[in-house]
């Protein structure tokens, strides 16, 4: 383990232990370097890495602070990494989505409010209206699922699923489905999810979401096989 990694580990320990809770300003540079047992340059590098990871934030003129440590901050980098995945890695990502999204949809069915259900319905209607516009379909597809997962009230789950639901993959799938004249089937799958949510049926919602993700996964498998 390098000195920078050791300094980062020590900073994380201070945060995890509560010695540096969210919103706390870090000690002065020399004091912090001494507490970490490293030189200033090593300490600065450790801080830079944690700033990039959204664990710390620099406030110009005020110093460096521990962030809120909310899931949306700490996990938002997942999305950027996902956009770079290719080939079989995208397929692995879809498998992960298959594990998480149906369970989240089932949970949403037990918690969704009338207002949240109306938002989901709005995106479903917008998808129907945009049947010939792949880009708009993709936007409302993503928003539909985002609204469903948001209804769970679980910010960590929402952030993770938002990160792994790559916009690039969704766009490619929609283009493929439209080209194959299969968009109607996928729209019906979204409608099945909505109806299960409206009925408050967790089992049916989970099953409908699972079938929908399987459609995406099956298309992606065929697409990757054709590229080989």
């Amino acid at each position: 383990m390098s000195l920078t990694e050791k300094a980062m580990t020590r900073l994380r320990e201070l945060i995890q232990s509560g010695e540096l809770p969210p919103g706390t300003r870090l000690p002065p540079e020399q004091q912090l370097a001494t507490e970490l047992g490293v030189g200033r340059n090593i300490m600065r590098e450790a801080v830079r890495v944690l700033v990039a990871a959204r664990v710390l934030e620099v406030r110009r003129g005020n110093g460096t602070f521990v962030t809120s440590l909310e899931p949306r901050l700490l996990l938002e980098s997942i999305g950027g990494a996902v956009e770079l995945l290719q080939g079989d890695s995208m397929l692995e990502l879809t498998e992960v989505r298959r594990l998480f999204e149906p369970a989240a949809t089932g949970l949403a069915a037990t918690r969704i409010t009338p207002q949240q259900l109306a938002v989901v319905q709005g995106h479903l209607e917008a998808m129907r209206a945009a049947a010939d516009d792949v880009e708009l379909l993709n936007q409302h597809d993503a928003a539909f699922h985002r609204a469903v997962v948001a209804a769970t009230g679980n910010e960590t789950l929402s952030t993770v699923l938002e990160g792994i639901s790559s916009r690039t993959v969704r766009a490619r799938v929609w283009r493929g489905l439209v080209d194959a004249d299969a968009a109607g089937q996928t729209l019906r799958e979204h409608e099945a999810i909505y109806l299960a949510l409206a009925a408050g049926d967790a089992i049916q919602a989970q099953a409908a979401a699972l079938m929908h993700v399987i459609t995406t996964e099956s298309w992606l498998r065929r697409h990757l096989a054709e590229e080989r």
Side-chain angles (χ1 to χ4, degrees):
M1 181 182 293
S2 69
L3 289 176
T4 300
E5 290 171 331
K6 289 179 180 178
M8 289 168 53
T9 297
R10 179 57 184 147
L11 275 171
R12 289 195 187 97
E13 289 172 349
L14 291 172
I15 294 169
Q16 290 169 346
S17 69
E19 292 183 55
L20 292 175
T24 301
R25 180 179 178 176
L26 265 59
E29 188 174 274
Q30 183 56 59
Q31 179 184 337
L32 182 59
T34 300
E35 290 180 6
L36 298 178
V38 296
R40 286 190 178 186
N41 288 340
I42 295 296
M43 183 274 296
R44 289 171 185 161
E45 182 59 30
V47 168
R48 274 196 292 269
V49 173
L50 292 179
V51 167
R54 308 303 296 273
V55 174
L56 302 175
E57 63 178 336
V58 177
R59 301 178 189 173
R60 300 242 178 238
N62 289 322
T64 302
F65 293 75
V66 179
T67 67
S68 64
L69 302 179
E70 294 175 354
R72 63 180 178 81
L73 281 177
L74 300 180
L75 300 174
E76 68 177 5
S77 61
I78 293 175
V82 162
E83 292 294 324
L84 300 176
L85 295 179
Q86 300 178 11
D88 288 340
S89 294
M90 287 198 300
L91 185 57
E92 290 180 2
L93 191 70
T94 305
E95 291 176 346
V96 173
R97 186 182 165 204
R98 172 158 48 87
L99 294 172
F100 282 92
E101 193 164 307
T105 306
L107 181 60
T110 68
R111 297 180 176 180
I112 196 165
T113 66
Q115 294 79 12
Q116 291 170 326
L117 185 63
V119 172
V120 174
Q121 183 181 24
H123 289 300
L124 176 60
E125 292 173 352
M127 289 171 69
R128 290 198 194 102
D132 298 322
D133 187 331
V134 176
E135 295 301 326
L136 195 55
L137 269 173
N138 185 45
Q139 290 177 24
H140 285 291
D141 176 23
F144 176 97
H145 292 285
R146 191 160 51 244
V148 171
V149 179
T152 66
N154 187 316
E155 187 178 356
T156 300
L157 183 60
S158 295
T159 305
V160 170
L161 278 172
E162 175 69 14
I164 67 175
S165 297
S166 166
R167 288 170 294 178
T168 299
V169 174
R170 282 187 186 276
R172 289 179 60 186
V173 169
W174 266 115
R175 289 191 184 96
L177 292 172
V178 169
D179 290 344
D181 198 27
Q185 175 188 344
T186 306
L187 285 170
R188 287 191 293 273
E189 291 168 0
H190 282 82
E191 183 173 4
I193 293 171
Y194 166 75
L195 291 174
L197 292 171
D201 190 329
I203 295 176
Q204 188 62 37
Q206 185 166 347
L210 177 59
M211 290 303 298
H212 175 55
V213 177
I214 287 175
T215 295
T216 302
E217 185 177 341
S218 297
W219 177 89
L220 187 56
R221 286 184 185 278
R222 290 195 302 271
H223 180 74
L224 293 176
E226 290 169 0
E227 287 185 342
R228 290 191 174 99

